[in-house]
Amino acid sequence: MVSQISKSSIKLPDLSSPQGLLSTLQALRQTVESQGHTTFDQWRSHIQRFEFLSSALNLAEYLALRQHDLRALQAALMPWGLSSLGRIESRVMPNLDAVIATLEVICGSQSAQHLNRPPIEFFFEGDRLLQQNTEELFGQSPSQRRVRIMVTLATEAATDYEMVRSMIQRGATCMRINCAHDTTELWQCMIDHIRRAEQETGTPCKILMDLAGLKIRTASVLAPHHKKRVFKGDQILLSRSEPQLDGEAESGESIPSAVDQFQIGCTVPEILDLLAVDTPVYIDDGKIQTRVVDTRYPMPDEQPGILLEVTHASPKGVKLRPEKGLNFPDTVLPLSPLTEKDLSDLDFVATHADMIGYSFVQRPADIELLQHELDQRCGERLTRPAIVAKIETAIAVANLPELIIYAAGKQAFGVMIARGDLAVEIGYPRLTEIQEEILWICEAAHVPVIWATQVLDTLARTGLPSRAEVTDAAVSGRAECVMLNKGPYIDNAIEMLAGILGRMQDHTQKKHSLLRELRAWDLEPVSE
């Protein structure tokens, strides 16, 4: 596995000469090839799709390469006009071989390790495979842009055909149905509208059905009398059972009582047995951050609760509400990602969706579980829905290479960077770094990526984008698909995103800059 690859740095000789660069790259290539094949051999038994073998080997070689700090080597290659290995993800060995072959010419070397320069088609094979896998997942790309647009459907899409048709006309190429909401009858109406709009507009549109998954939330909230907000330093009692309420409250409001601290229930009470003192617990997408100060706090029902101390909250305080997410960043949660509801929903999803969004997937066994359930429902069907693994936790990030092998080794597969939960789980300061690494690993495996959560969210909700989210939308073009959430101005958001992605693809492809002529002095709208 990846953890068995030694994390050492290449011993660098004098890199100021082409001879030093050549010997360093030859040694690097030998190490990458050896370690890559060792990892690949461990994966081989899990790969049933012949067409994925070369991608799996490239991923193994990329992981071996990235165990080394190559920054000095990169800088030394630049003055010679050679590749600095900065775009090596999809083609590890061809890129190394191309640089080595050029250095051998420069040095006049015909060593025993002499390698022929890779053919052009071999050099770009990784790009071809990524495009092929992307088309298998999302269909053909629109003529005006490479990156697809996915839109989350509101409940109204089940009764408003024109809403669905308009979104497809404006640039949506994939629709997401969130199985946490609505019913199979409403989902069927949405699907019927999508298929009808496909026929009328001539625009293909894929359907992703997102399983609700195991979402741990707050239950009822009991608040101290005359206190409505939580502040830093406050204490919250997390109980295994529903707090004993003294009366009824309006929806979403806590109920005041004669208790000394806020008290909340947990929708998955067995989680509390896994918590230890100083364990972080985040509430409502991290708006309230706490740590455990007591795991055996006495309760009236004789079931001890968990006492939390608030370590972060807005200076103005935060309302503690029911049905808000609970996150446990440093806690391994040994729970099945498929709930009873998910298993019931799969009866419909397995035969209606093009893709299945898999929430809370963390380990290869989770992939095998969903594949088994699909086998039970799809029978002898030649095609079955693709799996899209939502990367939401630190464990999922650490296990990403194995998740890819187990999934893509058997069927069409994609990855969604679920930036909302992921940011809470790993911490906002690390989100940018980790989403980059996810993009690199997936590109090395030629696996398409969906960039999700709050893209042009302010525009979709209010009709006016923030400056920061416009920049975020431009960067999102590094992925193969970008997901928008629902909102009253979703048509505006689709149009703006389509325009941004269409223009930015002239400047960047993945992380590679394209040298189209500059137009900074020409601010007139560009039609092409």
Side-chain angles (χ1 to χ4, degrees):
M1 295 297 179
V2 178
S3 59
Q4 295 175 311
I5 298 176
S6 60
K7 292 188 176 182
S8 59
S9 295
I10 293 293
K11 293 183 179 179
L12 300 178
D14 179 14
L15 296 179
S16 61
S17 69
Q19 291 80 10
L21 285 171
L22 178 58
S23 62
T24 298
L25 279 167
Q26 288 171 335
L28 175 63
R29 186 192 189 282
Q30 184 176 359
T31 299
V32 168
E33 184 176 43
S34 174
Q35 293 182 346
H37 276 274
T38 297
T39 301
F40 176 77
D41 289 343
Q42 295 170 350
W43 289 343
R44 180 64 184 85
S45 63
H46 302 293
I47 303 172
Q48 299 178 15
R49 296 170 71 209
F50 174 80
E51 60 269 30
F52 183 66
L53 288 173
S54 62
S55 298
L57 178 58
N58 188 74
L59 172 61
E61 291 166 342
Y62 180 72
L63 295 174
L65 177 77
R66 293 304 303 270
Q67 301 305 305
H68 307 284
D69 187 343
L70 302 175
R71 288 174 292 180
L73 177 60
Q74 286 184 293
L77 286 167
M78 292 179 190
W80 294 93
L82 299 173
S83 166
S84 64
L85 313 180
R87 279 289 294 120
I88 203 170
E89 286 79 13
S90 65
R91 46 176 178 267
V92 175
M93 300 310 286
N95 209 141
L96 289 174
D97 289 347
V99 178
I100 289 172
T102 301
L103 279 170
E104 286 181 330
V105 172
I106 293 174
C107 296
S109 169
Q110 295 295 327
S111 66
Q113 294 184 355
H114 177 75
L115 298 167
N116 292 324
R117 184 178 298 278
I120 291 178
E121 60 272 16
F122 185 40
F123 188 81
F124 290 108
E125 177 66 3
D127 297 331
R128 186 193 68 78
L129 287 171
L130 176 57
Q131 180 179 344
Q132 174 180 297
N133 293 335
T134 302
E135 290 179 355
E136 184 176 9
L137 214 63
F138 301 112
Q140 292 288 330
S141 62
S143 58
Q144 69 276 20
R145 67 176 190 278
R146 176 185 65 86
V147 180
R148 281 69 164 180
I149 295 175
M150 178 186 297
V151 180
T152 300
L153 292 179
T155 301
E156 291 76 17
T159 55
D160 188 347
Y161 166 69
E162 289 302 325
M163 170 192 291
V164 176
R165 189 177 194 276
S166 177
M167 288 191 289
I168 292 177
Q169 284 181 316
R170 292 170 188 262
T173 55
C174 180
M175 296 296 185
R176 171 179 174 258
I177 297 175
N178 186 353
C179 295
H181 305 292
D182 305 319
T183 64
T184 54
E185 291 77 16
L186 291 174
W187 299 341
Q188 184 65 65
C189 292
M190 294 176 188
I191 293 170
D192 291 342
H193 286 166
I194 293 168
R195 298 310 182 208
R196 176 184 168 190
E198 280 185 303
Q199 293 294 321
E200 291 188 4
T201 64
T203 304
C205 183
K206 296 290 186 176
I207 296 172
L208 180 141
M209 299 194 72
D210 203 339
L211 297 176
L214 183 70
K215 186 65 174 177
I216 306 170
R217 297 183 181 276
T218 59
S220 299
V221 177
L222 199 64
H225 193 54
H226 298 312
K227 194 164 186 179
K228 294 184 177 181
R229 293 178 177 270
V230 173
F231 294 85
K232 181 178 180 181
D234 283 349
Q235 291 186 330
I236 300 173
L237 188 55
L238 185 59
S239 65
R240 288 173 170 78
S241 58
E242 289 282 327
Q244 297 301 309
L245 305 179
D246 297 333
E248 296 184 358
E250 295 180 5
S251 176
E253 293 295 331
S254 59
I255 297 179
S257 180
V259 294
D260 296 328
Q261 65 271 103
F262 284 91
Q263 183 178 332
I264 56 175
C266 176
T267 57
V268 188
E270 55 266 35
I271 294 297
L272 277 61
D273 296 325
L274 305 174
L275 303 182
V277 172
D278 286 333
T279 298
V281 178
Y282 295 167
I283 306 170
D284 195 3
D285 291 334
K287 293 183 179 68
I288 303 172
Q289 298 182 13
T290 74
R291 69 178 184 90
V292 176
V293 295
D294 188 350
T295 60
R296 305 289 299 176
Y297 193 84
M299 298 285 293
D301 60 4
E302 298 184 356
Q303 294 223 21
I306 303 292
L307 188 62
L308 309 173
E309 181 181 35
V310 178
T311 58
H312 174 83
S314 167
K316 296 181 180 179
V318 181
K319 283 190 176 183
L320 187 58
R321 300 176 183 272
E323 293 298 315
K324 295 299 181 181
L326 287 168
N327 292 88
F328 307 87
D330 294 345
T331 304
V332 177
L333 305 179
L335 303 171
S336 172
L338 289 179
T339 65
E340 289 300 319
K341 172 178 165 50
D342 295 331
L343 293 173
S344 175
D345 291 344
L346 268 175
D347 295 338
F348 180 92
V349 171
T351 55
H352 290 79
D354 298 305
M355 295 170 277
I356 298 177
Y358 197 9
S359 301
F360 205 69
V361 57
Q362 299 190 93
R363 300 174 182 83
D366 298 335
I367 294 292
E368 291 182 314
L369 175 61
L370 179 56
Q371 289 173 333
H372 172 74
E373 295 296 336
L374 287 176
D375 288 342
Q376 300 299 307
R377 290 161 175 80
C378 295
E380 299 300 320
R381 284 178 59 196
L382 295 179
T383 60
R384 58 193 58 208
I387 293 176
V388 173
K390 297 167 67 175
I391 305 303
E392 302 170 283
T393 66
I395 297 172
V397 173
N399 290 333
L400 180 57
E402 281 74 33
L403 296 178
I404 290 172
I405 294 300
Y406 277 67
K410 187 175 180 180
Q411 63 186 107
F413 178 67
V415 163
M416 178 185 289
I417 307 178
R419 300 186 299 166
D421 279 315
L422 184 60
V424 176
E425 289 282 336
I426 67 175
Y428 282 84
R430 294 205 66 191
L431 177 61
T432 301
E433 171 194 4
I434 296 303
Q435 76 180 10
E436 288 297 300
E437 294 195 9
I438 293 172
L439 284 167
W440 297 338
I441 290 171
C442 288
E443 186 178 359
H446 313 133
V447 166
V449 174
I450 301 169
W451 181 290
T453 313
Q454 292 187 317
V455 178
L456 295 179
D457 189 55
T458 307
L459 172 57
R461 289 186 292 104
T462 70
L464 185 66
S466 71
R467 294 167 180 82
E469 69 183 18
V470 171
T471 302
D472 176 61
V475 179
S476 71
R478 299 269 305 280
E480 280 64 53
C481 180
V482 182
M483 190 183 91
L484 295 172
N485 212 336
K486 54 194 173 185
Y489 298 93
I490 188 61
D491 282 354
N492 304 57
I494 295 170
E495 282 191 338
M496 176 173 281
L497 181 60
I500 290 172
L501 295 174
R503 288 188 291 274
M504 288 305 299
Q505 73 179 10
D506 292 337
H507 298 282
T508 58
Q509 181 178 355
K510 303 299 282 184
K511 66 175 183 178
H512 180 62
S513 296
L514 304 176
L515 301 181
R516 194 200 72 179
E517 74 277 14
L518 290 177
R519 292 176 176 171
W521 50 85
D522 179 10
L523 294 181
E524 292 297 322
V526 180
S527 58
E528 66 272 19

